[in-house]
């Protein structure tokens, strides 16, 4: 294998990769070559050249040139240990990553690219200041009596609360209802820290995964003729079926009503709408301005004033990527990308001047550091700076 990392060698490797003829060793060599900035800029130019092949009226994300680049990077690269990640929201679905492809995602270099047909000169790089974090916040369980329990430790002593017991087992908070007489509802609140998600099993057996910077208020044990919780932020739900007790999630002026089903709710305060996406079963969405019923693959969007609408054919893999440990973007705009970074890394995004619209696709590991994922912005000629907890996007 040639040791020279010349542009000619790069072009040769890229051509062999595009033709599906490169060996595993050559694929790894190509990945290694992409470590330096110059070659990443060249890859960006190759992607932009592929975009220019898209015919007018053709869907960008489904075009053959784009698919060749995108799918090849994530699926064709072989020759390294493969780590399977099961997608629990899609039975039988597996995502296969080689170490080389994972490197690309983690470095955020080919994982997010400008989906326009423009060609611009590279922007001058600016030094990246380290974000200051005064204190690393922890995921906390607040009990009904006000006691706060940090859940970042290996375990927690079993607690008794009303008609339930609580334990923190293998990074999962589990409630179990005990046999006993009717007791008053005791509400607990689980609040996740930045860069942390947390799974929770309620006393009725329902499973909930909380995304970073979210909170769920719920009873330690359910009583009466309904099961009700309150959500702020984002969570994925797998609700245990109980025809006698409908399950309701309250999010501001929106109520999601279910019997037993799987769905995701994204209701961060900086989102323009509260989005409920159904994966299995059926749910009813109620707001101050109307109601609707969702089928699998559909999404409801409730605006701040209660207006409600239904979206069909949504990309559930993109929506559920957070639960599997990565960011996934399919033709996402810059604001959408940065909101996800903001929720996970606990930074406030500020825009200065006019920022040109851009579209992104790809996957990035959520284990990546903020400076690493922001390299995606450098690769797309987006100027920015970090000031404490502020991520400032600089426009014209």
């Amino acid at each position: 294998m040639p040791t020279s990392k010349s542009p000619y060698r790069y072009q040769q490797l890229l051509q062999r990769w595009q033709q599906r003829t490169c060996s595993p060793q050559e694929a790894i060599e190509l990945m290694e070559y992409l470590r330096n900035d110059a070659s990443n800029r060249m890859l960006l130019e190759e992607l932009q050249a592929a975009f220019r092949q898209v015919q007018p009226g053709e869907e960008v994300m489904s075009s053959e040139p784009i698919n060749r680049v995108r799918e090849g990077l994530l699926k064709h690269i072989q020759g390294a240990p493969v780590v399977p990640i099961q997608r629990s929201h899609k039975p039988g679905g597996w995502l296969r990553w080689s170490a080389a492809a994972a490197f690309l995602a983690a470095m955020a270099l080919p994982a997010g690219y400008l989906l326009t047909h423009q060609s611009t000169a590279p922007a001058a790089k600016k030094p990246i200041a380290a974000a200051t974090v005064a204190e690393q916040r922890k995921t906390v369980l607040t009990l009904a009596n006000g006691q706060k329990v940090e859940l970042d430790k290996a375990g927690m002593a079993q607690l008794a609360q009303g008609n339930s017991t609580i334990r923190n087992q293998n990074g999962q908070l589990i409630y179990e209802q005990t046999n006993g007489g009717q007791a008053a509802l005791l509400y607990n609140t689980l609040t996740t820290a930045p860069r942390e998600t947390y799974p929770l099993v309620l006393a009725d057996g329902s499973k909930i995964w909380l995304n970073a910077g979210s909170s769920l208020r719920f009873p330690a044990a359910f009583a009466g003729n309904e099961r009700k919780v309150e959500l702020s932020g984002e969570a994925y739900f797998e609700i245990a079926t109980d025809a006698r007790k409908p399950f309701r999630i309250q999010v501001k002026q929106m109520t999601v009503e279910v019997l037993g089903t799987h769905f995701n709710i994204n209701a961060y305060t900086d989102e323009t709408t509260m989005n409920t996406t159904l994966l299995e079963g059926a749910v009813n969405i109620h707001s101050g301005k109307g109601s609707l019923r969702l089928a699998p693959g559909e999404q409801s969007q409730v605006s701040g004033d209660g207006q409600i609408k239904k979206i069909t054919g949504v990309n559930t893999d993109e929506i559920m990527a957070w639960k599997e440990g990565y960011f996934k973007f399919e033709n996402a705009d810059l604001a959408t990308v940065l909101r996800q970074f903001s929720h996970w890394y606990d930074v406030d995004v500020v825009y200065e001047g006019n920022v040109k619209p851009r579209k992104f696709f790809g996957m990035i590991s959520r284990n990546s550091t903020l400076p690493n994922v922001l390299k995606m912005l450098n690769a797309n000629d987006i100027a920015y700076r970090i000031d404490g907890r502020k991520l400032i996007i600089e426009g014209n």
Side-chain angles (χ1 to χ4, degrees), residues 6-33:
S6 66
Y8 174 77
R9 175 60 176 168
Y10 161 78
Q11 294 291 346
Q12 183 185 54
L13 289 173
L14 183 60
Q15 182 178 19
R16 289 176 63 80
W17 165 72
Q18 289 174 332
Q19 294 172 347
R20 303 293 195 268
T21 60
C22 67
S23 67
Q25 292 74 22
E26 287 173 329
I28 296 299
E29 182 187 359
L30 177 59
M31 297 305 100
E32 291 295 323
Y33 189 74

